[in-house]
């Protein structure tokens, strides 16, 4: 959401709908369109800012049936919400996502 003041407010929610999965080292990589650090208002999980790449990594150690959702709210200088795409997601799983 562009505030019209050169700041963008970003609200992201995620939910893992498969209760049979356990995901480890879940990283959601968000391009920021700037090298400036985001101002975190609220976060489930952790984050790291990479100013050289202009990216933010939203991290969860584990997602499972008990911890299957999260939200992130931050603001950052800018006026173009298209810079936040594409989002990249990486994780590790000890079980197959699609059994053979």
């Amino acid at each position: 959401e562009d505030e019209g003041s050169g700041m963008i407010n970003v609200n992201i929610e995620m939910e893992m709908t498969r209760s049979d999965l356990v995901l480890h080292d879940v990283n959601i990589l968000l391009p920021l369109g700037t090298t400036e650090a985001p101002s975190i208002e609220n976060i489930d999980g952790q984050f790291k800012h990479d100013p050289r790449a202009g990216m933010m990594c939203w991290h969860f150690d584990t997602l499972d049936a008990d911890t299957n959702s999260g939200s992130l709210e931050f603001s950052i200088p800018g006026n173009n919400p298209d810079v936040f795409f594409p989002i990249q997601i990486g994780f590790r799983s000890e079980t197959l996502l699609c059994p053979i």
Side-chain angles (χ1 to χ4, degrees), residues 9-87:
N9 291 328
V10 180
N11 295 292
I12 301 173
E13 293 182 7
M14 70 86 197
E15 179 181 13
M16 183 176 76
T17 57
R18 287 191 48 189
S19 60
D20 60 317
L21 288 179
V22 176
L23 304 180
H24 303 277
D25 299 321
V26 178
N27 292 305
I28 302 170
L29 300 174
L30 305 161
L32 298 174
T34 181
T35 58
E36 292 193 42
S39 175
I40 304 296
E41 305 295 329
N42 183 38
I43 187 169
D44 295 319
Q46 306 160 355
F47 88 99
K48 288 185 182 177
H49 175 238
D50 182 352
R52 221 170 354 148
M55 301 282 286
M56 181 173 97
C57 177
W58 183 19
H59 175 82
F60 293 88
D61 291 331
T62 303
L63 291 177
D64 56 23
D66 295 326
T67 307
N68 63 355
S69 64
S71 64
L72 168 63
E73 182 179 350
F74 66 92
S75 59
I76 193 147
N79 58 13
N80 181 3
D82 292 337
V83 300
F84 301 109
F85 299 97
I87 293 173

